[in-house]
Amino acid sequence: MASIKPRVKAPKTASAGEVVSIKTLISHPMESGQRKDKDGATIPRQIINKFTATFNGAMVFACDLEPSVSANPYFEFQMTVPETGVLAFEWVDDDGSIYTDEKTITVA
Amino acid sequence: SGRGLAQGLSGMTEEALIGGPAGGNVSLIHVTDMHAQLMPVWFREPSINLGVGAAAGQPPHVTGEDFLRLYGIEPRSPMAYALSSADFAALARDYGRMGGMDRIATVVKRLRAERPDAILLDGGDTWQGSLTALRTNGQDMVDAMNLLGVDAMTSHWEFTLGIDRVTEIVDALPFPFLGANIYDAEWDEPAYEPYKLFERGGVQVAVIGQAFPYLPIANPRWMFPNLSFGVREERMAEVVEEVRAEGASVVVLLSHNGFDVDRKLASRVPGIDVILCGHTHDALPEPLMVGDTALIASGSNGKFLSRVDIDADASGVKALRHRLIPIFADVIAPDPEMAALVAGHRAPFAAELSEVLGETEALLYRRGNFNGTFDDLILQALMTERDAEIALSPGFRWGPSLLPGDRITKEDLYNATAMSYPAAYRSEMTGETLHVILEDVADNLFNPDPYYQQGGDMVRVGGMGYRIDVSAPMGSRITDMTHLASGEPIDPARSYTVAGWASVNEGTDGPPIWDVVEAHIRSVGSVTLQENDSVKVTGA
Amino acid sequence: AAAAFAASGLPAFATADAAQEAVMAFTGGVAPGEGGVTLTTPEIAENGGTVPVEVAAEGAAAILVLAAGNPSPGVATFHFGPLGVAMASTRIRLARTQDVIAVAKMSDGSFRQASNTVKVTIGGCGG
Ligand SMILES: [Mn+2]
Ligand SMILES: [Mn+2]
């Protein structure tokens, strides 16, 4: 699935201790495993099953996903920014693929 | 209809309709749900408009003589004709057509002569509903509203022009297109300006816009795929707080929620002084107060214009005076400038607009919770021209009326049908599916919680009768579905041939509804209708 | 009105029991308490394929989201680290009108629950 592309909206800067909102999207069909193709055969399940966000290596937010999450999974969450650091994102696909992105948040 | 033709209005003057001098220091002018009616029209108000839950028996769910009694309006008077349905055809002869953009322009100019900085607000459903609006993709209405001098608007049917056209128009508008509840569906961020602040009479006046909350459900969402709407009560509360923090002494909500939704919103979101209501096409001669919030309903199709004069200082609204001005086309002089603009937009389509398709022996109207005679005509056309056992037609609230003996022109037909997804489909549906559809639509109208109401009327059904208990819960309102041709109960398992139009599904096939109805009118020549008693109503 | 009727046969739906079982599996058999969980959903889904859901529960370590009327009730489980705020938004699929349930596991080990009905409608009509 070469076309799968994560996108993230996060602030570039924050003040120490500020609570900021992070939004993420990844293009993915989230094939539920319950649909049938035109010949009546079940289309196998293939979804993003895990999303994780870490800040300087520490887990901030994670989600276990089931097939009832919509196509192109979207997450919004909030975090306290203690210091300048790297917010790293990881999406795990049923087929074993891992998609990543990262954003640096600078505390002035 | 020229001026002075309506005998019943002799002696009535523009001055009397418009009312006394502007009071206070801030004036609002509200027009809404014009549905592209540039010309004066006949428009019969509903005789059945049921409320449920807390709204049962409350305005605007009061009709006929009850309505006249409630507001102290003399039967058969001009205002009785304008605001209710009794003796409509006879009173129409006495009092003439209503509306017309050139008459509205005259009233706006007179009001602005007294208060030059009166804020003119357009509640939406402006760019759709006529042949010329269809042919010009709403440009005729955009140009007319720009000439009228609108200060802000909100929206509903506007989006059925498709997002690209809406964006093209909005980018060129000289005023804001407000919608606090319109969000980008991808990133969940506001997509349009939520409000505008006006400095008037020494105070700040905030006008917050609220688009129709259920656009992607009631209309084809594929036409504006990246937008999300909704009532968004918390968002409205935040915006009200924000404008108060910015110094607004007067907070006006320019709303396309529908009246019952606005009534609930007013009871739950503090700090709104005035709600200018739209969408449900109600016309009320005085404000309905919910706590300190005045709800104002200014009708539809150009029949009325509301003026609201407010006395306000830094501490807020001190007094408010409202006048629902009926636009009697034979009393109010056309404004020459607007008349010329309208004539210019109509000229390229003159032959089409005036083409006579037939005539009607029946009064043709649309408003009413369960059926209307114009819809009966459309249903007949669908069943005969599309060879269907059953026909379905949406419960739209737009579309003017025709009087017995009137010729039916192409303009009249388009006034009842012009829209951007007109395909008249023909398909097979089981009796069970028909039941699911009726239950679903009934709940959109009769859910006791207004936030679940979408503000249309019940889907019109041809070839089938049913019983509805409006007070029953969803799933058990509709019973006794009967196939009228055979007199047999509708069989849940049997498949029926069904014709309809205005499907919200992308890729719906079929000829445009106006071609179907035109063919039918031409084949019958003169429209006659049986009284429609196929819907039995209980629980009201 | 009368628009999206083209939907084909309905799939077999989970029972309310399946949702209850999923709640109990999450709580280890403890019935959750009420209050302390804010679940925000639209009154009516604009598109049953993508319904926005926001949950917040101050002091929660994890929040389970269930769709009680879907073929399988599980939707998502959110986990919050020490820097995280116990709130999240996502978008979910709802096969029909049903209750969306959120169960929060609080940092003291207790559980709290909220639920909202979301209407999934055929659409059409308008004023
Ligand atoms: Mn309207
Ligand atoms: Mn509307």
Side-chain angles (χ1 to χ4, degrees), chain B residues 33 35 123-125 155-157 212 256 278-281 398 454-455, chain C residues 126-127:
Chain B
D33 294 86
H35 287 283
D125 280 357
S155 58
H156 169 193
W157 276 85
F212 175 48
H256 205 95
H279 182 58
T280 37
H281 292 196
W398 45 269
Q454 294 177 27

Side-chain angles (χ1 to χ4, degrees), chain B residues 13 20 120 166 232 263 266 397 448-449 467 530 532:
Chain B
T13 62
L120 174 57
V166 171
R232 296 183 189 254
R263 175 170 17 216
R397 293 189 171 196
D449 181 344
R467 182 178 299 276
Q530 308 281 313
N532 183 345

Side-chain angles (χ1 to χ4, degrees), chain B residues 217-493:
Chain B
I217 301 164
N219 304 90
R221 68 168 181 260
W222 56 269
M223 293 181 170
F224 39 91
N226 294 321
L227 294 178
S228 171
F229 296 78
V231 177
R232 296 183 189 254
E233 185 186 277
E234 296 91 352
R235 160 75 168 167
M236 183 56 61
E238 285 167 17
V239 173
V240 171
E241 278 185 28
E242 185 178 329
V243 299
R244 289 285 183 193
E246 291 210 30
S249 301
V250 181
V251 175
V252 178
L253 177 57
L254 178 62
S255 171
H256 205 95
N257 274 331
F259 196 92
D260 290 344
V261 178
D262 282 326
R263 175 170 17 216
K264 179 175 173 183
L265 189 80
S267 74
R268 293 168 59 91
V269 175
I272 304 172
D273 297 305
V274 179
I275 303 184
L276 301 172
C277 304
H279 182 58
T280 37
H281 292 196
D282 315 292
L284 298 180
E286 54 191 61
L288 185 139
M289 297 304 298
V290 177
D292 293 331
T293 306
L295 272 61
I296 286 166
S298 308
S300 70
N301 289 266
K303 280 182 76 176
F304 302 96
L305 171 155
S306 277
R307 64 180 283 195
V308 184
D309 297 325
I310 297 169
D311 184 13
D313 63 19
S315 68
V317 172
K318 302 284 162 210
L320 178 147
R321 196 187 67 163
H322 164 247
R323 186 175 179 89
L324 183 72
I325 300 175
I327 309 296
F328 287 114
D330 293 345
V331 173
I332 296 165
D335 172 67
E337 200 183 355
M338 184 64 81
L341 182 143
V342 170
H345 271 295
R346 290 171 59 84
F349 311 104
E352 233 184 330
L353 288 165
S354 60
E355 189 180 342
V356 176
L357 310 178
E359 62 177 40
T360 180
E361 290 175 32
L363 171 66
L364 297 181
Y365 63 91
R366 182 169 263 160
R367 283 301 309 280
N369 281 155
F370 303 101
N371 40 49
T373 50
F374 215 126
D375 292 314
D376 289 341
L377 170 61
I378 291 172
L379 293 165
Q380 275 190 1
L382 281 165
M383 286 191 289
T384 51
E385 301 296 321
R386 301 291 281 151
D387 188 26
E389 295 174 277
I390 290 168
L392 301 174
S393 187
F396 294 135
R397 293 189 171 196
W398 45 269
S401 311
L402 288 176
L403 303 185
D406 276 356
R407 291 182 300 186
I408 306 173
T409 63
K410 197 169 257 190
E411 172 163 34
D412 299 323
L413 173 58
Y414 276 68
N415 278 343
T417 57
M419 45 105 90
S420 58
Y421 46 106
Y425 61 81
R426 182 178 190 275
S427 64
E428 298 286 316
M429 289 182 206
T430 62
E432 184 182 9
T433 299
L434 286 163
H435 184 252
V436 167
I437 290 169
L438 293 187
E439 287 284 358
D440 192 86
V441 180
D443 197 61
N444 296 341
L445 183 56
F446 297 116
N447 191 304
D449 181 344
Y451 282 4
Y452 289 84
Q453 294 172 10
Q454 294 177 27
D457 279 314
M458 192 64 191
V459 58
R460 278 63 168 126
V461 183
M464 187 177 89
Y466 63 91
R467 182 178 299 276
I468 179 168
D469 179 349
V470 299
S471 302
M474 180 168 176
S476 49
R477 288 191 182 95
I478 308 291
T479 55
D480 296 350
M481 287 166 57
T482 306
H483 181 228
L484 295 177
S486 65
E488 296 289 319
I490 292 285
D491 178 353

